[in-house]
Amino acid sequence: ALVAAIDSPVPVAVVASGESITKVASAHPDAVAAIRAAVDAGRVELCSGPAADTPLDLATPEFALNSFTRGREAFCNLFNAPPASFARVAGGAIPLLPQLLAGSGIEGGIWTLFDGTPLPDVGGGMIRWQAGGAAIDLLAAAPLDARSARTVLALHETLGDALDREHVAAMLFAHYAGTASRWHALVRRIGRWTNLLGTFVTPRELARRTTGAGTTVSLEPDAFPPTLPRSAAATGDDLITAAISQ
């Protein structure tokens, strides 16, 4: 499924943590070889961040930096290159993120998480997040479900809203490998032959094309929702329920 997903007529981005891509390499080395070839050909961009999708706000700054370093090393070992852009499936965000990313040479990335975890409202579109003397350009558009035909049917409305509200009209399609609808595949084919619906670009290319055009954002440390500890019931350690069931 992963090999088929990157066989695209337009550029695509692969989002994975260092740990997850290492597991993929162990179980399916052919998939990693295909990704490496696509990256070398310029058809795929690698996006990642820390080594794992664990909550960053539960880590010390030193541990967070170490996690970014280990995640970068995992990609370098597999693809001979670090991730080109920043993106995470889960794990939240912290005020130190711009400094960590700028220190890693990251030029752009994706603000939104893909597990539904809320982040501070920055208004969508392209933003330039500044903190601690560093800045990074991020796409803050809400992900569009590439698995749904409704996304394609409503594409004209989504494009119109983006053009009306945002200085940089950009959309973000997201799906797990092998789950995109056939209608999304048709949109990609259209994007291969004409820019009638816009141009498909990777996060790094989007950041380069829109340098200085994003809305400047400075967030207070308490703007980030904290990760709540899981309850005993959620972890399966509810002793009372276990006793009753016996």
Side-chain angles (χ1 to χ4, degrees):
L2 186 56
V3 173
I6 64 174
D7 185 18
S8 169
V10 294
V12 297
V14 173
V15 179
S17 67
E19 288 186 356
S20 62
I21 200 65
T22 300
K23 291 180 180 178
V24 170
S26 177
H28 305 283
D30 56 329
V32 172
I35 295 175
R36 186 185 302 114
V39 170
D40 293 340
R43 296 186 293 106
V44 167
E45 180 176 295
L46 301 174
C47 303
S48 188
D53 288 324
T54 52
L56 282 175
D57 63 324
L58 300 182
T60 63
E62 293 79 9
F63 185 88
L65 176 60
N66 179 264
S67 183
F68 270 87
T69 301
R70 289 187 289 110
R72 184 183 179 89
E73 290 175 350
F75 276 81
C76 288
N77 292 335
L78 292 173
F79 304 104
N80 301 319
S85 296
F86 167 76
R88 301 191 73 196
V89 174
I94 54 176
L96 291 174
L97 207 51
Q99 295 166 276
L100 293 173
L101 295 175
S104 300
I106 298 294
E107 299 180 20
I110 299 172
W111 164 260
T112 308
L113 299 174
F114 297 99
D115 67 340
T117 300
L119 291 175
D121 184 11
V122 292
M126 287 296 299
I127 64 170
R128 185 168 181 79
W129 183 11
Q130 294 182 341
I136 180 129
D137 295 309
L138 300 170
L139 173 61
L144 300 175
D145 191 351
R147 303 169 299 178
S148 173
R150 184 186 298 273
T151 299
V152 177
L153 293 174
L155 195 56
H156 63 291
E157 296 180 358
T158 307
L159 279 169
D161 289 343
L163 290 169
D164 289 341
R165 296 185 294 104
E166 300 168 6
H167 184 60
V168 178
M171 299 184 301
L172 172 63
F173 293 101
H175 67 91
Y176 288 102
T179 64
S181 72
R182 57 176 177 168
W183 309 113
H184 179 70
L186 291 177
V187 174
R188 286 184 173 184
R189 288 182 61 189
I190 294 173
R192 169 66 176 82
W193 296 106
T194 176
N195 60 1
L196 178 66
L197 299 177
T199 303
F200 280 86
V201 295
T202 60
R204 179 172 58 176
E205 181 63 20
L206 178 62
R208 288 178 175 176
R209 294 190 184 191
T210 60
T211 300
T215 302
T216 301
V217 173
S218 296
L219 300 169
E220 296 295 329
D222 59 359
F224 298 87
T227 300
L228 299 178
R230 298 182 64 187
S231 66
T235 58
D237 296 330
D238 187 352
L239 301 180
I240 297 177
T241 301
I244 294 175
S245 64
Q246 293 176 356

